[in-house]
């Protein structure tokens, strides 16, 4: 007689709404096993009965062959007495937890799968050319979910009643669309419509007849601008090769220079525009389908105004059936940019889009499936074969970042001001939000507060600990300080950057190190624009000794005045004035002879006076402002029209073949200062000597890298630390990042860089969350003030 065993299983992770139960069903029945599988609040439960060898085989293949969208975090098994069941069944959903707890995860929106693409282009298929085709392995998720559990009535598909064939697929465990909540077809699902610039229907009376998509493509080819409703919001589309159309879009959007992204129909089309290596190809075709910033090919068939003066182009491939059809209908690349005016958030509600974009778009290609939550495209670079996220949003959110050391109490981290994200965390999961944007207007603030409420519901988080940036004027800080009945943890901005890099790398995931929450101290290099320091000055060129719980400021760039505060951020020439004033006459440098001084002569003396007196000129150790100063000295840019522009253009200018590096002195105090002015002095001197700006820009970048190397060596001499974490928006500069990592590695350092969350302020919330957890463990969180 054959022995029979019964094993109970619990599978945790992203295992609902991804076809996990039918997968278990077919795996078990294929092996001749009996038992059952079902969903409950904690994920998937199953009982498997049969000969030990077959049960073992089942367990081995469970993780290996799981459906594409599943992410198994943990499988636990226990032995049960056999029940004598030979058949296998899918059980009805398990009972809700008695305490109302909800613990399941929601998948991110996912690019159209190969099976759906095949059906999309098959004239015999009932979903032939249907722009909303999807299945269990692909389609919208996060952007249509209004609440949990993830069931159709709680999505924006609720209003569409399934037709008989769709319902049959939905209820058939053997079908690819079994329990695919957004399942639909031309007979029962959402429909496209083409509207005119004022929102009037356009598709019926136009000569191209009833196909809004063909008509939209025709308009694009004619050089018109079409607003296209996508997955997480409206885009503005134009023919990327059409000079006039791209110029018109820039003018109407009030966006002077900031690069636009381009949609290429496929990998071959992307390769015609940019250099695409294997890592970039993998990212472009990944389920998340981010915009990937890639080196542009000379002569790429894209209007120069798409990304003025930029050697890179942001490329994405189609990620919805609608984008596939639109790209297929166009002969060449389509320029696709957020549907907004200048820096407002992307429009995602139909009425709002019509109101805000009617002055920009000549037509609207829209549909009647609502977007529940605004989600921008994600943006990434490739660094040494790994993604280096610039914006983590559509396709990644809301999948959590695993934090093995976990969160003893539930945490809300409010993020920073620019490129805001927030983060809710519990157990081993940090739910970093979609890109909220710059918290500078009412609309973005509403996205922030509503987003927090949405995440709290979806992931059943009731935060007891709230982390915030120390900057008293950030709206995210004010939001945190207004909360009652929570414990508060103020987190220094650059400590948060370094901690986000540590969490990104799973630092301290092993046995707990000396710091609370695991993780030995590291050298943290945080270079960014500005963040509030513990001494009330603006930091931004920081060398920290940090772990999750705390930090010490080991050294920093020597502070300089920021003449005019915000004005100095918009006008890099003011930073040139601040730096050059301290250097004038040094080694024969005549600041007055430099073009930057002449170009800005009308305001120069007043700005210098402001810097000297310290009136409206707070001190800053910012690395970003150092790049600004050099950019202005070299004549790259005196004023910017988007964040980071001067530094980005300085990087583009630099001659990558140049090996020379400027030197900066480091003083000998215990908390050292780097005399960054030496770098500005060297650049100005070389300029006066007639050295080409491209060479100077490269020597400056190499010089900053040498500064990081020297500073880290100094810290290692004193503290024997051998790991360096690099974070802050300045490390989006690829030339600098490559140089810094190469130099540090040649000195035997282990270098941590970002690959899951951005090094810019979009990653701050994750850093705040892990710091809050570490400090909470040490009892260092403080009750909110009674109000
Ligand atoms: Zn599919
Ligand atoms: Zn249908």
């Amino acid at each position: 007689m054959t022995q029979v065993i019964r094993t109970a299983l619990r599978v945790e992770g992203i295992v609902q709404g991804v076809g996990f139960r039918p997968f278990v069903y077919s795996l078990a029945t294929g092996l001749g096993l009996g038992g059952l599988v079902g969903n409950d609040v904690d994920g998937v439960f199953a009982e498997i009965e049969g000969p030990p060898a077959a049960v073992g085989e089942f367990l081995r293949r469970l993780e290996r062959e799981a459906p594409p969208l599943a992410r198994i975090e943990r499988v636990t098994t226990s032995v049960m007495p056999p029940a004598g069941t030979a058949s296998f069944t899918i059980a009805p959903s398990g009972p809700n937890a008695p305490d109302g707890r909800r613990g399941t995860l929601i998948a991110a929106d996912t690019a159209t799968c190969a099976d759906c693409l095949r059906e999309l282009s098959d004239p015999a298929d009932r979903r032939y050319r249907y722009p909303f085709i999807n299945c269990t392995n692909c389609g919208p998720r996060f952007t249509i979910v209004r609440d949990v559990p993830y069931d159709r009535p709680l999505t924006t598909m609720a209003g569409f009643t399934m037709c008989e064939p769709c319902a049959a697929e939905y209820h058939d465990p053997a079908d690819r669309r079994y329990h695919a909540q957004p399942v639909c077809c031309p007979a029962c699902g959402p429909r496209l419509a083409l509207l005119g610039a004022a929102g009037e229907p356009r598709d019926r009376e136009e000569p191209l007849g009833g196909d809004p998509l063909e008509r939209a493509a025709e308009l694009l080819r004619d050089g018109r601008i079409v607003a296209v409703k996508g997955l997480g919001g409206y885009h503005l589309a134009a023919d990327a090769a059409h000079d006039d159309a791209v110029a018109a879009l820039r003018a109407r959007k009030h966006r002077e220079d900031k690069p636009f992204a381009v949609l290429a129909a496929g990998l071959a089309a992307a390769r015609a525009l940019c250099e695409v290596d294997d890592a970039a190809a993998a990212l472009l075709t990944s389920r998340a389908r981010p915009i990937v910033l890639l080196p542009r090919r000379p002569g790429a068939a894209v209007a120069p105004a798409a990304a003025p003066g930029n050697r890179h182009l942001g490329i994405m491939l189609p990620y919805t059936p609608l984008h596939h059809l639109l790209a297929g209908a166009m002969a060449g690349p389509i320029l696709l940019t957020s549907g907004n005016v200048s820096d407002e958030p992307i429009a995602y509600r139909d009425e709002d889009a019509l109101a805000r974009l009617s002055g920009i778009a000549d037509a609207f290609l829209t549909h009647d499936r609502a977007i529940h939550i605004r989600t921008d495209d994600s943006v990434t670079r490739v660094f040494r074969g790994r993604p280096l996220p610039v914006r983590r949003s559509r396709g990644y959110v809301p999948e959590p970042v695993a934090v093995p050391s976990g969160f003893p109490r539930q945490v809300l981290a409010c993020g920073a001001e620019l490129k805001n994200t927030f983060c809710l965390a519990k157990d081993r999961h940090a739910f970093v939000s979609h890109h909220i944007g710059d918290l500078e207007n009412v609309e973005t603030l509403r996205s922030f507060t509503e987003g927090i409420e949405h995440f709290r519901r979806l992931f059943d988080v009731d935060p007891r600990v709230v982390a915030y940036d120390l900057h008293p004027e950030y709206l995210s800080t004010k939001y945190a300080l207004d909360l009652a009945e929570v414990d508060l943890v103020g987190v220094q901005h650059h400590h948060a950057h370094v901690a986000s890099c540590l969490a990104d790398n799973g630092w301290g995931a092993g046995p707990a190190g000396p710091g609370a929450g695991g993780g030995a101290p590291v050298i943290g290099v945080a270079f960014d624009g500005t963040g509030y320091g513990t001494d009330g000055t603006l930091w931004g060129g920081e060398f920290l000794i940090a772990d999750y719980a705390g930090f010490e400021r080991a050294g920093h760039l020597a502070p300089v005045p920021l003449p005019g505060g915000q004005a100095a951020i918009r006008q890099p020439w003011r930073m040139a004035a601040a730096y050059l004033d301290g250097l004038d006459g040094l080694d024969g440098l005549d600041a007055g002879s430099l073009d930057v001084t002449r170009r800005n002569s009308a305001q120069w003396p007043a700005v210098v006076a402001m810097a000297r007196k310290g009136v409206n000129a707070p001190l800053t150790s910012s690395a970003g402002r150092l790049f600004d100063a050099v950019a202005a000295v070299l004549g790259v840019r005196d004023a910017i029209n988007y964040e980071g522009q001067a530094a980005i253009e300085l990087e583009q200018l630099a001659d990558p073949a140049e090996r020379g590096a400027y030197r900066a002195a480091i003083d000998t105090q215990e908390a050292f200062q780097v005399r960054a002015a030496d770098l500005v002095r060297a650049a100005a001197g070389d300029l006066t000597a007639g050295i080409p700006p491209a060479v100077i820009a490269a020597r400056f970048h190499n010089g900053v890298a040498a500064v990081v190397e020297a500073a880290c060596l100094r810290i290692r001499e004193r503290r024997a630390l051998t790991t360096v974490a690099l974070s802050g928006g300045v490390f989006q500069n690829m030339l600098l990042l490559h140089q810094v990592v190469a130099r540090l590695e040649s000195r035997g350092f282990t270098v941590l860089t970002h690959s899951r969350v951005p090094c810019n302020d979009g990653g701050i919330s994750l850093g705040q969350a892990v710091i809050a957890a570490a400090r909470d463990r040490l009892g260092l969180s403080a009750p909110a003030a009674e109000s």
Side-chain angles (χ1 to χ4, degrees):
M1 193 183 115
T2 329
Q3 191 206 348
V4 165
I5 59 167
R6 191 174 180 98
T7 300
L9 287 129
R10 171 152 294 289
V11 188
E12 293 168 77
I14 299 175
V15 289
Q16 292 187 2
V18 295
F20 207 86
R21 287 175 301 161
F23 156 69
V24 169
Y25 175 88
S26 69
L27 183 60
T29 51
L31 290 166
L33 295 164
L36 55 89
V37 62
N39 278 342
D40 68 9
V41 287
D42 291 317
V44 163
F45 62 90
E47 296 175 14
I48 310 294
E49 181 163 335
V55 171
E57 172 80 1
F58 173 90
L59 292 173
R60 272 190 298 280
R61 287 170 61 184
L62 182 76
E63 295 202 41
R64 215 183 325 137
E65 298 173 14
L69 298 197
R71 211 170 82 191
I72 297 177
E73 295 192 337
R74 191 155 60 181
V75 179
T76 43
T77 58
S78 57
V79 179
M80 293 180 75
T85 39
S87 65
F88 199 89
T89 51
I90 295 187
S93 288
N96 289 324
D99 51 3
R101 171 177 63 91
R102 303 183 287 194
T104 54
L105 303 177
I106 293 168
D109 300 277
T110 300
T112 313
C113 74
D115 289 330
C116 285
L117 276 183
R118 202 176 312 113
E119 292 168 352
L120 186 69
S121 59
D122 175 5
D125 193 275
R126 66 190 190 89
R127 295 189 181 86
Y128 175 58
R129 294 184 60 76
Y130 180 55
F132 303 95
I133 187 171
N134 68 80
C135 73
T136 309
N137 301 326
C138 74
R141 293 289 186 278
F142 174 62
T143 51
I144 62 166
V145 171
R146 294 202 310 242
D147 206 344
V148 284
Y150 174 58
D151 274 326
R152 191 170 175 112
L154 294 177
T155 70
T156 63
M157 286 298 291
F160 299 96
T161 306
M162 274 184 254
C163 67
E164 266 183 43
C166 283
E169 293 169 331
Y170 182 88
H171 291 294
D172 176 4
D175 195 277
R176 203 174 87 244
R177 297 192 166 87
Y178 177 71
H179 277 231
Q181 304 305 339
V183 68
C184 58
C185 75
C188 67
R191 286 170 200 208
L192 281 185
L194 189 72
L195 308 178
E200 73 283 10
R202 282 279 290 267
D203 42 339
R204 303 271 176 251
E205 71 264 27
E206 296 290 333
L208 272 165
D211 190 341
L213 204 131
E214 286 297 334
R215 181 64 189 140
E218 181 78 358
L219 288 169
L220 290 174
R221 281 193 296 269
D222 283 351
R224 307 297 181 84
I225 294 164
V226 180
V228 179
K229 185 176 180 182
L231 207 43
Y234 277 78
H235 282 115
L236 289 161
D239 179 347
H242 199 297
D243 289 355
D244 293 344
V246 177
L249 181 52
R250 277 215 180 273
R252 293 186 205 170
K253 225 175 112 89
H254 302 299
R255 180 146 141 169
E256 288 176 59
D257 296 312
K258 195 173 177 183
F260 288 140
V262 170
L263 178 77
L267 213 43
R271 290 201 157 105
L273 301 174
C274 290
E275 289 164 33
V276 182
D277 64 14
D278 290 349
L283 265 173
L284 281 171
T285 56
S286 68
R287 286 171 7 213
R289 297 273 160 124
I291 295 169
V292 185
L293 302 177
L294 295 167
R296 180 178 185 158
R297 281 191 193 286
V302 165
N310 205 310
R311 292 184 196 174
H312 291 81
L313 209 51
I315 302 282
M316 65 179 134
L317 300 188
Y319 52 90
T320 70
L322 171 58
H323 292 119
H324 277 286
L325 294 169
L326 193 61
M330 290 285 290
I334 304 171
L335 193 145
L336 220 48
T337 181
S338 308
N340 56 12
V341 183
S342 57
D343 291 328
E344 288 175 3
I346 183 171
Y348 72 112
R349 292 196 168 110
D350 299 330
E351 280 178 28
D352 180 51
L354 281 173
R356 280 163 57 197
L357 305 180
S358 65
I360 303 177
D362 299 305
F364 289 80
L365 182 61
T366 182
H367 58 75
D368 52 357
R369 186 181 74 201
I371 299 168
H372 184 68
I373 193 149
R374 163 193 294 137
T375 314
D376 293 78
D377 291 318
S378 294
V379 183
T380 189
R381 293 176 179 275
V382 181
F383 176 68
R384 291 184 161 193
R386 295 203 309 165
L388 183 77
V390 174
R391 184 164 73 199
R392 182 185 181 273
S393 208
R394 185 214 16 100
Y396 296 98
V397 173
E399 296 188 2
V401 176
V403 176
S405 54
F407 297 88
R409 288 196 290 166
Q410 301 187 355
V411 174
L412 164 66
C414 296
E417 178 94 332
L418 299 178
K419 301 181 171 68
N420 177 276
T421 62
F422 59 83
C423 175
L424 280 156
K426 69 170 184 182
D427 303 331
R428 308 177 312 279
H429 292 140
F431 298 96
V432 179
S433 78
H434 50 302
H435 169 78
I436 301 292
D438 299 347
L439 282 183
E440 292 175 327
N441 57 52
V442 177
E443 172 102 26
T444 324
L445 185 62
R446 193 186 305 126
S447 287
F448 172 78
T449 54
E450 289 176 357
I452 290 173
E453 290 312 309
H454 189 52
F455 269 58
R456 284 183 56 167
R457 256 197 326 278
L458 290 187
F459 303 112
D460 194 25
V461 182
D462 181 21
R464 306 319 306 157
V465 181
V466 175
Y468 61 94
D469 193 279
L470 294 180
H471 200 304
E473 296 305 318
Y474 283 0
L475 294 180
S476 56
T477 300
K478 292 179 174 173
Y479 172 88
L481 296 179
D482 276 347
L483 296 174
E485 294 173 3
V486 293
D487 288 347
L488 292 170
V489 180
V491 178
Q492 201 280 323
H493 191 90
H494 303 94
H495 183 208
H497 271 309
V498 173
S500 81
C501 183
L502 295 180
D504 189 318
N505 285 277
W507 185 250
V522 300
I523 301 171
V525 182
F527 277 14
D528 71 351
T530 47
Y532 202 79
T534 52
D535 59 0
T537 70
L538 297 170
W539 295 6
E542 307 306 310
F543 300 95
L544 309 181
I545 295 168
D547 60 13
Y548 289 122
F551 75 97
E552 172 187 331
R553 195 184 192 199
H556 54 89
L557 303 188
V560 292
L562 187 70
Q566 286 295 318
I569 296 173
R570 288 189 302 270
Q571 299 175 349
W573 72 264
R574 288 171 179 254
M575 290 316 299
Y579 267 107
L580 290 170
D581 181 48
L583 299 166
D584 211 9
L586 212 66
D587 303 334
L589 179 74
D590 175 11
S593 73
L594 294 170
D595 282 343
V596 65
T597 315
R598 293 208 198 97
R599 283 195 306 272
N600 300 287
S601 59
Q603 285 177 278
W604 195 275
V607 164
V608 166
M610 190 186 270
R612 283 184 191 165
K613 285 186 205 144
V615 179
N616 191 18
L619 288 176
T620 183
S621 54
S622 165
R625 301 291 84 80
L626 170 66
F627 276 76
D628 283 357
V630 173
V633 167
L634 294 189
V636 169
R637 190 155 283 279
D638 284 339
I640 59 167
N641 57 60
Y642 66 90
E643 196 209 350
Q645 185 179 11
I648 289 166
E649 292 178 356
L650 185 65
E651 178 191 357
Q652 305 277 340
L653 172 69
D655 175 358
E658 170 62 29
R659 289 284 158 264
Y662 299 139
R663 293 284 155 185
I666 300 182
D667 72 21
T668 53
Q669 296 169 51
E670 180 59 34
F672 60 83
Q673 294 197 12
V674 176
R675 215 164 63 198
D678 290 355
L679 303 173
V680 182
R681 165 75 191 79
D686 270 1
L687 189 68
T688 311
I691 306 286
V695 173
I696 301 174
R699 289 177 181 171
F700 168 71
H701 277 81
N702 299 344
V704 174
V707 160
V708 174
E709 177 191 3
C712 291
L713 284 172
R714 167 173 302 219
I715 296 170
R716 186 168 71 183
E717 272 168 29
R718 296 178 185 181
R719 304 292 284 270
L721 300 174
T722 55
T723 300
V724 181
L726 302 176
S727 194
V730 168
F731 287 111
Q732 291 174 117
N733 183 321
M734 299 302 277
L735 177 60
L736 179 71
L737 185 64
H738 275 287
Q739 294 282 340
V740 167
V741 174
R743 280 175 182 267
L744 291 174
E745 286 183 347
S746 76
R747 295 292 192 161
F749 285 102
T750 300
V751 185
L752 306 179
T753 58
H754 286 258
S755 66
R756 296 195 289 175
V757 297
C759 64
N760 62 43
D761 283 6
I764 285 275
S765 63
L766 176 64
Q768 291 175 341
V770 292
I771 290 168
R775 294 179 70 81
D776 191 34
R777 274 196 199 87
L778 297 174
L780 293 174
S781 53
E786 297 291 328
S787 55

